[in-house]
Amino acid sequence: MSTPTSSVATATSAVDQSLLYPSPYKEFWQAFSKNKGAVAGLMFMLLVIFCAIFAPWVAPHDPSEQYRDFLLTPPAWLEGGQIQFLLGTDELGRDLLSRLIQGSRLSLLIGLSSVVMSLIPGILLGLLAGFFPKAVGPTIMRLMDIMLALPSLLLAVAIVAILGPGLINTVIAIAVVSLPSYVRLTRAAVMGELNRDYVT
């Protein structure tokens, strides 16, 4: 039968262990929260994501509606600006803030789609190059080296020129340009783990 003293000692030991060995998520957040720039960037990204998801309700005006009486209106804080058009209007009288908010949906879609399209094959190719360094590893890595040797923008423009203009082709071009980074990172992680003592 355990005594109150032993129970208190066990609880104290558990608390000490939690303080000495915090969870990976808690440890990451402690380090992340100390970087003010990273926290500000996270807040900005959350704001962009919020505006992209709720764009129809957040945007103050219809992004395609034209206000003929307010063509090229400057931002509200400048002389001649209107408070109802916080960032002003374009040459057709459309509210710039509303168009930016609506455009964030497309930007977020392109970014997420291109990351997913490059992340999945990048991880698979990196795993193949890491686990089979003599069979397919050199071929995959030489191909990635060739892609890295070309300027990213030039390669993306060439892919779009071959496939033709369009949203899907743009996503494919960005994904292809980003592919070598994921392949190299995955291969490096695999090679590092394969050299550990616990791997037989």
Short mmCIF file of all heavy atoms in Angstrom, two decimals, residues 120-187:
data_model
loop_
_atom_site.label_atom_id
_atom_site.label_comp_id
_atom_site.label_asym_id
_atom_site.label_seq_id
_atom_site.Cartn_x
_atom_site.Cartn_y
_atom_site.Cartn_z
N ILE A 120 4.57 15.67 -52.58
CA ILE A 120 4.34 14.22 -52.64
C ILE A 120 5.35 13.52 -53.54
O ILE A 120 6.04 12.59 -53.10
CB ILE A 120 2.89 13.94 -53.08
CG1 ILE A 120 1.91 14.47 -52.02
CG2 ILE A 120 2.68 12.45 -53.31
CD1 ILE A 120 0.46 14.32 -52.40
N PRO A 121 5.51 13.92 -54.81
CA PRO A 121 6.54 13.25 -55.62
C PRO A 121 7.95 13.53 -55.13
O PRO A 121 8.84 12.69 -55.29
CB PRO A 121 6.31 13.80 -57.03
CG PRO A 121 5.60 15.09 -56.83
CD PRO A 121 4.76 14.91 -55.60
N GLY A 122 8.17 14.69 -54.52
CA GLY A 122 9.49 15.00 -53.99
C GLY A 122 9.90 14.05 -52.88
O GLY A 122 11.04 13.57 -52.82
N ILE A 123 8.96 13.76 -51.98
CA ILE A 123 9.24 12.82 -50.89
C ILE A 123 9.46 11.42 -51.44
O ILE A 123 10.38 10.71 -51.02
CB ILE A 123 8.10 12.85 -49.86
CG1 ILE A 123 8.08 14.18 -49.12
CG2 ILE A 123 8.23 11.69 -48.88
CD1 ILE A 123 6.95 14.33 -48.14
N LEU A 124 8.63 11.01 -52.39
CA LEU A 124 8.78 9.67 -52.96
C LEU A 124 10.12 9.51 -53.68
O LEU A 124 10.81 8.50 -53.50
CB LEU A 124 7.62 9.39 -53.93
CG LEU A 124 6.23 9.29 -53.30
CD1 LEU A 124 5.17 9.09 -54.36
CD2 LEU A 124 6.18 8.17 -52.27
N LEU A 125 10.49 10.49 -54.48
CA LEU A 125 11.77 10.42 -55.18
C LEU A 125 12.94 10.48 -54.19
O LEU A 125 13.95 9.79 -54.38
CB LEU A 125 11.88 11.55 -56.20
CG LEU A 125 10.96 11.46 -57.41
CD1 LEU A 125 11.07 12.71 -58.27
CD2 LEU A 125 11.29 10.23 -58.24
N GLY A 126 12.80 11.28 -53.15
CA GLY A 126 13.85 11.35 -52.14
C GLY A 126 14.01 10.05 -51.39
O GLY A 126 15.14 9.63 -51.08
N LEU A 127 12.89 9.38 -51.10
CA LEU A 127 12.97 8.07 -50.45
C LEU A 127 13.64 7.04 -51.35
O LEU A 127 14.47 6.24 -50.89
CB LEU A 127 11.56 7.61 -50.07
CG LEU A 127 10.87 8.37 -48.93
CD1 LEU A 127 9.43 7.90 -48.77
CD2 LEU A 127 11.62 8.21 -47.62
N LEU A 128 13.29 7.06 -52.62
CA LEU A 128 13.92 6.12 -53.56
C LEU A 128 15.42 6.38 -53.67
O LEU A 128 16.23 5.44 -53.67
CB LEU A 128 13.27 6.24 -54.94
CG LEU A 128 11.84 5.70 -55.07
CD1 LEU A 128 11.29 6.01 -56.45
CD2 LEU A 128 11.82 4.19 -54.82
N ALA A 129 15.79 7.65 -53.75
CA ALA A 129 17.21 7.98 -53.86
C ALA A 129 17.97 7.65 -52.59
O ALA A 129 19.16 7.30 -52.65
CB ALA A 129 17.37 9.47 -54.19
N GLY A 130 17.30 7.72 -51.45
CA GLY A 130 17.97 7.41 -50.19
C GLY A 130 18.08 5.92 -49.91
O GLY A 130 19.13 5.44 -49.45
N PHE A 131 17.02 5.18 -50.19
CA PHE A 131 17.03 3.74 -49.90
C PHE A 131 17.74 2.92 -50.98
O PHE A 131 18.18 1.81 -50.71
CB PHE A 131 15.59 3.24 -49.73
CG PHE A 131 14.99 3.56 -48.40
CD1 PHE A 131 13.97 4.49 -48.30
CD2 PHE A 131 15.45 2.96 -47.24
CE1 PHE A 131 13.40 4.80 -47.07
CE2 PHE A 131 14.90 3.26 -46.01
CZ PHE A 131 13.87 4.18 -45.92
N PHE A 132 17.83 3.46 -52.17
CA PHE A 132 18.50 2.75 -53.26
C PHE A 132 19.58 3.66 -53.86
O PHE A 132 19.45 4.14 -54.99
CB PHE A 132 17.50 2.33 -54.34
CG PHE A 132 16.36 1.51 -53.80
CD1 PHE A 132 15.12 2.09 -53.56
CD2 PHE A 132 16.53 0.16 -53.53
CE1 PHE A 132 14.07 1.35 -53.07
CE2 PHE A 132 15.48 -0.60 -53.03
CZ PHE A 132 14.25 -0.01 -52.80
N PRO A 133 20.64 3.93 -53.09
CA PRO A 133 21.65 4.90 -53.54
C PRO A 133 22.47 4.45 -54.74
O PRO A 133 23.08 5.28 -55.42
CB PRO A 133 22.54 5.06 -52.30
CG PRO A 133 22.38 3.78 -51.54
CD PRO A 133 20.96 3.34 -51.78
N LYS A 134 22.49 3.16 -55.02
CA LYS A 134 23.28 2.68 -56.15
C LYS A 134 22.43 2.39 -57.37
O LYS A 134 22.92 2.48 -58.50
CB LYS A 134 24.04 1.42 -55.75
CG LYS A 134 25.09 1.65 -54.67
CD LYS A 134 25.85 0.37 -54.36
CE LYS A 134 26.91 0.61 -53.29
NZ LYS A 134 27.66 -0.63 -52.96
N ALA A 135 21.16 2.05 -57.16
CA ALA A 135 20.31 1.67 -58.28
C ALA A 135 19.72 2.89 -58.99
O ALA A 135 19.99 3.13 -60.17
CB ALA A 135 19.19 0.74 -57.79
N VAL A 136 18.93 3.67 -58.26
CA VAL A 136 18.24 4.81 -58.88
C VAL A 136 18.68 6.14 -58.28
O VAL A 136 18.33 7.20 -58.82
CB VAL A 136 16.71 4.66 -58.74
CG1 VAL A 136 16.22 3.45 -59.50
CG2 VAL A 136 16.32 4.56 -57.27
N GLY A 137 19.42 6.10 -57.18
CA GLY A 137 19.83 7.33 -56.52
C GLY A 137 20.61 8.29 -57.40
O GLY A 137 20.25 9.47 -57.51
N PRO A 138 21.67 7.81 -58.07
CA PRO A 138 22.45 8.74 -58.92
C PRO A 138 21.62 9.36 -60.05
O PRO A 138 21.77 10.55 -60.35
CB PRO A 138 23.56 7.84 -59.47
CG PRO A 138 23.70 6.74 -58.47
CD PRO A 138 22.31 6.50 -57.96
N THR A 139 20.75 8.57 -60.65
CA THR A 139 19.93 9.10 -61.75
C THR A 139 19.00 10.20 -61.26
O THR A 139 18.88 11.26 -61.89
CB THR A 139 19.11 7.97 -62.38
OG1 THR A 139 19.99 6.94 -62.83
CG2 THR A 139 18.30 8.49 -63.55
N ILE A 140 18.34 9.95 -60.14
CA ILE A 140 17.41 10.95 -59.60
C ILE A 140 18.15 12.22 -59.20
O ILE A 140 17.72 13.34 -59.53
CB ILE A 140 16.65 10.36 -58.39
CG1 ILE A 140 15.74 9.22 -58.84
CG2 ILE A 140 15.83 11.45 -57.69
CD1 ILE A 140 15.03 8.51 -57.70
N MET A 141 19.28 12.07 -58.53
CA MET A 141 19.99 13.25 -58.04
C MET A 141 20.63 14.03 -59.18
O MET A 141 20.71 15.26 -59.12
CB MET A 141 21.06 12.84 -57.03
CG MET A 141 20.48 12.19 -55.77
SD MET A 141 19.07 13.09 -55.07
CE MET A 141 19.82 14.66 -54.66
N ARG A 142 21.10 13.35 -60.23
CA ARG A 142 21.65 14.10 -61.37
C ARG A 142 20.55 14.88 -62.08
O ARG A 142 20.78 16.00 -62.55
CB ARG A 142 22.31 13.13 -62.35
CG ARG A 142 23.54 12.41 -61.83
CD ARG A 142 24.69 13.33 -61.46
NE ARG A 142 24.51 13.99 -60.17
CZ ARG A 142 24.68 13.39 -58.98
NH1 ARG A 142 25.02 12.11 -58.92
NH2 ARG A 142 24.51 14.06 -57.86
N LEU A 143 19.36 14.30 -62.14
CA LEU A 143 18.24 15.02 -62.74
C LEU A 143 17.88 16.25 -61.91
O LEU A 143 17.61 17.33 -62.46
CB LEU A 143 17.03 14.09 -62.86
CG LEU A 143 15.76 14.69 -63.48
CD1 LEU A 143 16.04 15.16 -64.90
CD2 LEU A 143 14.64 13.67 -63.47
N MET A 144 17.91 16.10 -60.59
CA MET A 144 17.63 17.24 -59.72
C MET A 144 18.73 18.31 -59.85
O MET A 144 18.45 19.51 -59.81
CB MET A 144 17.53 16.78 -58.26
CG MET A 144 16.37 15.84 -57.97
SD MET A 144 14.75 16.55 -58.34
CE MET A 144 14.31 15.60 -59.81
N ASP A 145 19.98 17.87 -60.02
CA ASP A 145 21.07 18.83 -60.20
C ASP A 145 20.90 19.63 -61.49
O ASP A 145 21.19 20.83 -61.53
CB ASP A 145 22.42 18.09 -60.22
CG ASP A 145 22.78 17.53 -58.85
OD1 ASP A 145 22.22 18.02 -57.85
OD2 ASP A 145 23.61 16.61 -58.78
N ILE A 146 20.44 18.96 -62.53
CA ILE A 146 20.19 19.66 -63.79
C ILE A 146 19.10 20.71 -63.61
O ILE A 146 19.21 21.84 -64.10
CB ILE A 146 19.81 18.65 -64.89
CG1 ILE A 146 21.00 17.75 -65.22
CG2 ILE A 146 19.34 19.38 -66.14
CD1 ILE A 146 20.67 16.63 -66.18
N MET A 147 18.05 20.34 -62.89
CA MET A 147 16.96 21.29 -62.65
C MET A 147 17.42 22.47 -61.80
O MET A 147 17.01 23.61 -62.02
CB MET A 147 15.79 20.58 -61.99
CG MET A 147 15.13 19.53 -62.87
SD MET A 147 13.83 18.60 -62.02
CE MET A 147 12.66 19.91 -61.68
N LEU A 148 18.29 22.19 -60.82
CA LEU A 148 18.80 23.27 -59.98
C LEU A 148 19.78 24.17 -60.72
O LEU A 148 19.95 25.33 -60.36
CB LEU A 148 19.48 22.68 -58.73
CG LEU A 148 18.55 22.09 -57.67
CD1 LEU A 148 19.37 21.40 -56.58
CD2 LEU A 148 17.68 23.18 -57.05
N ALA A 149 20.43 23.62 -61.74
CA ALA A 149 21.38 24.42 -62.51
C ALA A 149 20.68 25.48 -63.35
O ALA A 149 21.30 26.49 -63.72
CB ALA A 149 22.23 23.52 -63.40
N LEU A 150 19.42 25.25 -63.66
CA LEU A 150 18.66 26.21 -64.46
C LEU A 150 18.02 27.25 -63.55
O LEU A 150 17.57 26.92 -62.45
CB LEU A 150 17.57 25.49 -65.27
CG LEU A 150 18.06 24.44 -66.26
CD1 LEU A 150 16.87 23.70 -66.87
CD2 LEU A 150 18.89 25.08 -67.36
N PRO A 151 17.96 28.50 -63.97
CA PRO A 151 17.26 29.52 -63.17
C PRO A 151 15.80 29.13 -62.97
O PRO A 151 15.13 28.71 -63.92
CB PRO A 151 17.41 30.79 -64.01
CG PRO A 151 18.60 30.55 -64.88
CD PRO A 151 18.60 29.08 -65.17
N SER A 152 15.32 29.28 -61.76
CA SER A 152 13.96 28.83 -61.44
C SER A 152 12.91 29.55 -62.28
O SER A 152 11.98 28.92 -62.81
CB SER A 152 13.68 29.06 -59.95
OG SER A 152 14.60 28.35 -59.16
N LEU A 153 13.06 30.86 -62.40
CA LEU A 153 12.08 31.63 -63.16
C LEU A 153 12.10 31.23 -64.63
O LEU A 153 11.04 31.08 -65.26
CB LEU A 153 12.36 33.12 -63.01
CG LEU A 153 11.40 34.07 -63.73
CD1 LEU A 153 9.97 33.86 -63.23
CD2 LEU A 153 11.82 35.52 -63.53
N LEU A 154 13.29 31.04 -65.18
CA LEU A 154 13.40 30.65 -66.58
C LEU A 154 12.79 29.27 -66.81
O LEU A 154 12.10 29.04 -67.82
CB LEU A 154 14.87 30.66 -67.01
CG LEU A 154 15.16 30.29 -68.47
CD1 LEU A 154 14.48 31.27 -69.41
CD2 LEU A 154 16.66 30.26 -68.73
N LEU A 155 13.03 28.35 -65.88
CA LEU A 155 12.46 27.01 -66.01
C LEU A 155 10.94 27.05 -65.93
O LEU A 155 10.24 26.38 -66.70
CB LEU A 155 13.02 26.10 -64.91
CG LEU A 155 12.53 24.66 -64.90
CD1 LEU A 155 12.85 23.96 -66.21
CD2 LEU A 155 13.15 23.90 -63.73
N ALA A 156 10.40 27.85 -65.01
CA ALA A 156 8.95 27.96 -64.89
C ALA A 156 8.33 28.57 -66.15
O ALA A 156 7.29 28.11 -66.63
CB ALA A 156 8.60 28.81 -63.66
N VAL A 157 8.98 29.60 -66.69
CA VAL A 157 8.47 30.22 -67.92
C VAL A 157 8.52 29.23 -69.08
O VAL A 157 7.59 29.17 -69.91
CB VAL A 157 9.28 31.49 -68.24
CG1 VAL A 157 8.93 32.02 -69.62
CG2 VAL A 157 9.03 32.56 -67.19
N ALA A 158 9.58 28.43 -69.14
CA ALA A 158 9.69 27.44 -70.22
C ALA A 158 8.59 26.39 -70.11
O ALA A 158 8.00 25.98 -71.12
CB ALA A 158 11.07 26.78 -70.17
N ILE A 159 8.30 25.96 -68.89
CA ILE A 159 7.24 24.96 -68.71
C ILE A 159 5.88 25.52 -69.11
O ILE A 159 5.09 24.85 -69.79
CB ILE A 159 7.23 24.47 -67.25
CG1 ILE A 159 8.52 23.72 -66.93
CG2 ILE A 159 6.02 23.58 -66.98
CD1 ILE A 159 8.67 23.35 -65.47
N VAL A 160 5.61 26.76 -68.70
CA VAL A 160 4.34 27.39 -69.08
C VAL A 160 4.27 27.59 -70.59
O VAL A 160 3.20 27.42 -71.20
CB VAL A 160 4.17 28.72 -68.34
CG1 VAL A 160 2.95 29.48 -68.86
CG2 VAL A 160 4.04 28.49 -66.84
N ALA A 161 5.40 27.92 -71.21
CA ALA A 161 5.41 28.09 -72.66
C ALA A 161 5.12 26.78 -73.38
O ALA A 161 4.47 26.76 -74.43
CB ALA A 161 6.75 28.65 -73.10
N ILE A 162 5.59 25.68 -72.81
CA ILE A 162 5.36 24.37 -73.43
C ILE A 162 3.92 23.90 -73.21
O ILE A 162 3.25 23.44 -74.13
CB ILE A 162 6.35 23.33 -72.88
CG1 ILE A 162 7.78 23.69 -73.31
CG2 ILE A 162 6.00 21.92 -73.36
CD1 ILE A 162 8.85 22.84 -72.66
N LEU A 163 3.45 24.03 -71.97
CA LEU A 163 2.11 23.55 -71.63
C LEU A 163 1.01 24.50 -72.05
O LEU A 163 -0.13 24.09 -72.25
CB LEU A 163 2.02 23.29 -70.12
CG LEU A 163 2.98 22.24 -69.54
CD1 LEU A 163 2.79 22.13 -68.04
CD2 LEU A 163 2.77 20.89 -70.21
N GLY A 164 1.35 25.78 -72.14
CA GLY A 164 0.35 26.77 -72.48
C GLY A 164 -0.12 27.52 -71.24
O GLY A 164 0.05 27.05 -70.11
N PRO A 165 -0.70 28.70 -71.43
CA PRO A 165 -1.16 29.49 -70.27
C PRO A 165 -2.36 28.83 -69.60
O PRO A 165 -3.09 28.05 -70.20
CB PRO A 165 -1.54 30.84 -70.90
CG PRO A 165 -1.88 30.50 -72.32
CD PRO A 165 -0.99 29.35 -72.71
N GLY A 166 -2.52 29.16 -68.34
CA GLY A 166 -3.64 28.61 -67.57
C GLY A 166 -3.26 28.42 -66.12
O GLY A 166 -2.07 28.33 -65.78
N LEU A 167 -4.26 28.35 -65.28
CA LEU A 167 -4.03 28.23 -63.84
C LEU A 167 -3.37 26.89 -63.50
O LEU A 167 -2.40 26.84 -62.73
CB LEU A 167 -5.35 28.37 -63.09
CG LEU A 167 -5.28 28.23 -61.56
CD1 LEU A 167 -4.37 29.30 -60.97
CD2 LEU A 167 -6.68 28.32 -60.96
N ILE A 168 -3.87 25.81 -64.07
CA ILE A 168 -3.32 24.48 -63.76
C ILE A 168 -1.88 24.38 -64.23
O ILE A 168 -1.01 23.84 -63.52
CB ILE A 168 -4.19 23.39 -64.40
CG1 ILE A 168 -5.60 23.42 -63.80
CG2 ILE A 168 -3.56 22.01 -64.21
CD1 ILE A 168 -6.55 22.41 -64.40
N ASN A 169 -1.59 24.89 -65.41
CA ASN A 169 -0.22 24.84 -65.92
C ASN A 169 0.72 25.70 -65.08
O ASN A 169 1.90 25.36 -64.92
CB ASN A 169 -0.19 25.30 -67.38
CG ASN A 169 -0.93 24.34 -68.29
OD1 ASN A 169 -1.11 23.17 -67.96
ND2 ASN A 169 -1.37 24.82 -69.43
N THR A 170 0.21 26.79 -64.56
CA THR A 170 1.03 27.61 -63.66
C THR A 170 1.37 26.86 -62.39
O THR A 170 2.51 26.90 -61.91
CB THR A 170 0.29 28.91 -63.31
OG1 THR A 170 -0.01 29.63 -64.51
CG2 THR A 170 1.12 29.79 -62.40
N VAL A 171 0.39 26.16 -61.83
CA VAL A 171 0.63 25.35 -60.63
C VAL A 171 1.65 24.25 -60.93
O VAL A 171 2.55 23.99 -60.12
CB VAL A 171 -0.69 24.75 -60.12
CG1 VAL A 171 -0.44 23.76 -59.00
CG2 VAL A 171 -1.62 25.85 -59.65
N ILE A 172 1.53 23.61 -62.08
CA ILE A 172 2.48 22.56 -62.46
C ILE A 172 3.89 23.13 -62.58
O ILE A 172 4.87 22.52 -62.12
CB ILE A 172 2.04 21.90 -63.77
CG1 ILE A 172 0.72 21.13 -63.57
CG2 ILE A 172 3.12 20.95 -64.30
CD1 ILE A 172 0.14 20.56 -64.84
N ALA A 173 4.01 24.30 -63.18
CA ALA A 173 5.33 24.91 -63.35
C ALA A 173 5.97 25.22 -62.00
O ALA A 173 7.16 24.95 -61.78
CB ALA A 173 5.20 26.18 -64.19
N ILE A 174 5.20 25.78 -61.09
CA ILE A 174 5.73 26.09 -59.76
C ILE A 174 6.11 24.81 -59.02
O ILE A 174 7.14 24.74 -58.33
CB ILE A 174 4.71 26.91 -58.95
CG1 ILE A 174 4.43 28.25 -59.63
CG2 ILE A 174 5.20 27.14 -57.53
CD1 ILE A 174 3.34 29.06 -58.98
N ALA A 175 5.29 23.76 -59.17
CA ALA A 175 5.57 22.49 -58.50
C ALA A 175 6.85 21.87 -59.03
O ALA A 175 7.67 21.34 -58.25
CB ALA A 175 4.39 21.54 -58.70
N VAL A 176 7.05 21.91 -60.33
CA VAL A 176 8.27 21.32 -60.91
C VAL A 176 9.51 22.08 -60.45
O VAL A 176 10.54 21.48 -60.13
CB VAL A 176 8.16 21.32 -62.45
CG1 VAL A 176 9.49 20.91 -63.08
CG2 VAL A 176 7.06 20.37 -62.90
N VAL A 177 9.42 23.39 -60.40
CA VAL A 177 10.56 24.20 -59.96
C VAL A 177 10.91 23.91 -58.50
O VAL A 177 12.09 23.91 -58.11
CB VAL A 177 10.25 25.69 -60.18
CG1 VAL A 177 11.30 26.56 -59.51
CG2 VAL A 177 10.18 26.01 -61.66
N SER A 178 9.90 23.65 -57.67
CA SER A 178 10.13 23.40 -56.25
C SER A 178 10.52 21.96 -55.94
O SER A 178 10.93 21.66 -54.82
CB SER A 178 8.86 23.75 -55.45
OG SER A 178 8.44 25.07 -55.70
N LEU A 179 10.39 21.07 -56.91
CA LEU A 179 10.62 19.65 -56.68
C LEU A 179 12.01 19.31 -56.16
O LEU A 179 12.14 18.52 -55.21
CB LEU A 179 10.32 18.88 -57.97
CG LEU A 179 10.43 17.35 -57.91
CD1 LEU A 179 9.41 16.79 -56.94
CD2 LEU A 179 10.24 16.75 -59.30
N PRO A 180 13.10 19.84 -56.73
CA PRO A 180 14.44 19.43 -56.28
C PRO A 180 14.69 19.67 -54.79
O PRO A 180 15.40 18.88 -54.15
CB PRO A 180 15.38 20.28 -57.15
CG PRO A 180 14.59 20.59 -58.37
CD PRO A 180 13.19 20.74 -57.90
N SER A 181 14.13 20.72 -54.24
CA SER A 181 14.37 21.00 -52.82
C SER A 181 13.82 19.89 -51.93
O SER A 181 14.50 19.43 -51.00
CB SER A 181 13.71 22.34 -52.44
OG SER A 181 14.24 23.39 -53.22
N TYR A 182 12.61 19.43 -52.22
CA TYR A 182 12.02 18.36 -51.42
C TYR A 182 12.76 17.04 -51.61
O TYR A 182 12.93 16.27 -50.66
CB TYR A 182 10.54 18.20 -51.78
CG TYR A 182 9.70 19.40 -51.45
CD1 TYR A 182 9.18 20.21 -52.46
CD2 TYR A 182 9.44 19.76 -50.13
CE1 TYR A 182 8.40 21.32 -52.15
CE2 TYR A 182 8.68 20.87 -49.82
CZ TYR A 182 8.17 21.64 -50.84
OH TYR A 182 7.41 22.74 -50.53
N VAL A 183 13.20 16.79 -52.83
CA VAL A 183 13.94 15.54 -53.09
C VAL A 183 15.25 15.53 -52.31
O VAL A 183 15.60 14.54 -51.65
CB VAL A 183 14.21 15.38 -54.60
CG1 VAL A 183 15.09 14.17 -54.86
CG2 VAL A 183 12.89 15.24 -55.36
N ARG A 184 15.98 16.61 -52.35
CA ARG A 184 17.28 16.66 -51.67
C ARG A 184 17.12 16.61 -50.15
O ARG A 184 17.90 15.93 -49.46
CB ARG A 184 18.03 17.93 -52.09
CG ARG A 184 18.45 17.93 -53.55
CD ARG A 184 18.98 19.29 -53.96
NE ARG A 184 20.21 19.60 -53.27
CZ ARG A 184 21.43 19.30 -53.71
NH1 ARG A 184 21.57 18.66 -54.86
NH2 ARG A 184 22.50 19.63 -53.02
N LEU A 185 16.12 17.30 -49.62
CA LEU A 185 15.90 17.27 -48.17
C LEU A 185 15.50 15.88 -47.70
O LEU A 185 16.00 15.39 -46.67
CB LEU A 185 14.82 18.28 -47.80
CG LEU A 185 15.22 19.76 -47.82
CD1 LEU A 185 14.01 20.65 -47.58
CD2 LEU A 185 16.29 20.05 -46.78
N THR A 186 14.61 15.23 -48.44
CA THR A 186 14.18 13.89 -48.06
C THR A 186 15.33 12.90 -48.15
O THR A 186 15.52 12.06 -47.26
CB THR A 186 13.02 13.43 -48.95
OG1 THR A 186 11.97 14.39 -48.89
CG2 THR A 186 12.49 12.08 -48.50
N ARG A 187 16.10 12.97 -49.21
CA ARG A 187 17.24 12.06 -49.36
C ARG A 187 18.26 12.26 -48.24
O ARG A 187 18.79 11.30 -47.68
CB ARG A 187 17.91 12.28 -50.71
CG ARG A 187 19.15 11.41 -50.93
CD ARG A 187 19.80 11.70 -52.27
NE ARG A 187 21.02 10.93 -52.43
CZ ARG A 187 22.23 11.32 -52.02
NH1 ARG A 187 22.35 12.50 -51.38
NH2 ARG A 187 23.29 10.57 -52.20
#
